[in-house]
Amino acid sequence: MDLYDVQDVLRSIDAHPVPVLLAGAVANTGAYIMYLEGIRLGFRQRTYAIPVFANMYFFAHDVVFVGLFAHWFSEIDHWLFKLFWGALLVFAVLECVVHYQTIRFGRRELSPGLSPRQYVAGYVAVQAAVVVLFWFLYSNLGDPLFLVTFSTTIVVAVAWYIPLLLRRGGREGQSLLLASGLVLLNGYFLLFLPQLSDAFRTPVHYVTGATVAVVTLVYPWLLTRYPVAATGRPSRRTGATGSSAPRGSR
């Protein structure tokens, strides 16, 4: 059983295209800020800036979405989801860049006991498993327009940034600009989905959106409390030890 009525959603989009597009643009801008800034930081600091599982889950979502070409262009045949298809095709390329950064720069942090070949093989195997698990989720969720599954990518992305900051003990691979992208992602929960169907105007939906919003606001506050690099930890970029500046300094 589907979680919402597809035709009802499509009618809502056609009835109010401007606010739907604006709300969607807010969330998509946040996603692109997150990835473009993350890629910039990754190459500049020779690290990965998008948490590993978050990028793998995003990639699984986008590969499955893009792979369902006939579903979007023949069965659904709606202009908005054709636009989404093109946007997610571009996004999948960005995710591949992050995969490259994680493979090239992340072995010593993630799996120091593995050889480079073992690390790459293990990484690819985990990504393949995440794609299979996502396909299982999508196949059983009753979400023909990927509206709920996209919500889960936002939750997964947001959930991993604070643990990454705490584990590293510094702002390596993270910035306030990237954090602002996470804040904008809340536009999907709080602005975009409620316009599409009554199914997204429920207490559980609003509580979930509010919870995600709180986490995305706590994260940049935490960033200001950590030094750029962890004290005593070698910097990947310079080889020098991390800054011992007080919390809140750049």
Side-chain angles (χ1 to χ4, degrees):
M1 181 178 179
D2 291 346
L3 298 173
Y4 46 82
D5 182 88
V6 172
Q7 293 306 315
D8 179 54
V9 170
L10 299 182
R11 283 192 296 269
S12 295
I13 295 171
D14 290 334
H16 309 286
V18 173
V20 167
L21 280 173
L22 289 176
V26 170
N28 277 287
T29 298
Y32 276 103
I33 287 174
M34 178 180 69
Y35 263 81
L36 292 174
E37 171 67 356
I39 288 171
R40 184 190 73 83
L41 291 169
F43 283 122
R44 182 179 181 184
Q45 300 178 5
R46 298 181 66 80
T47 187
Y48 63 91
I50 307 297
V52 177
F53 184 76
N55 187 57
M56 286 186 170
Y57 192 79
F58 261 102
F59 183 74
H61 171 278
D62 295 351
V63 164
V64 173
F65 190 104
V66 170
L68 295 173
F69 180 89
H71 176 65
W72 305 116
F73 285 81
S74 297
E75 298 173 16
I76 300 301
D77 192 24
H78 190 273
W79 59 269
L80 183 62
F81 292 92
K82 292 177 182 179
L83 288 177
F84 281 164
W85 187 91
L88 293 186
L89 182 61
V90 174
F91 214 83
V93 175
L94 299 180
E95 290 151 3
C96 286
V97 175
V98 174
H99 279 320
Y100 169 79
Q101 293 179 327
T102 308
I103 289 172
R104 181 170 182 183
F105 304 130
R107 182 176 65 87
R108 292 184 179 179
E109 179 180 347
L110 297 170
S111 302
L114 298 181
S115 69
R117 288 186 178 181
Q118 290 172 331
Y119 173 63
V120 172
Y123 186 92
V124 172
V126 173
Q127 175 62 88
V130 174
V131 171
V132 172
L133 290 173
F134 180 85
W135 177 253
F136 173 81
L137 174 66
Y138 166 71
S139 298
N140 290 277
L141 193 58
D143 182 24
L145 298 179
F146 273 61
L147 297 176
V148 176
T149 53
F150 190 77
S151 299
T152 65
T153 66
I154 295 174
V155 172
V156 168
V158 170
W160 284 90
Y161 273 97
I162 290 177
L164 180 64
L165 175 65
L166 297 179
R167 178 168 60 80
R168 285 179 169 173
R171 302 205 309 262
E172 182 181 14
Q174 300 175 75
S175 71
L176 290 175
L177 177 58
L178 190 154
S180 72
L182 290 175
V183 173
L184 290 177
L185 280 175
N186 290 306
Y188 187 81
F189 276 107
L190 303 177
L191 300 176
F192 181 75
L193 285 181
Q195 298 185 63
L196 303 187
S197 171
D198 289 338
F200 304 113
R201 294 191 287 268
T202 63
V204 66
H205 171 80
Y206 286 121
V207 169
T208 302
T211 301
V212 173
V214 168
V215 174
T216 61
L217 293 175
V218 169
Y219 172 62
W221 176 80
L222 283 175
L223 279 179
T224 66
R225 311 300 295 170
Y226 278 80
V228 173
T231 303
R233 178 179 176 176
S235 168
R236 287 182 176 81
R237 183 173 40 159
T238 64
T241 57
S243 169
S244 58
R247 295 185 302 174
S249 65
R250 283 185 63 88

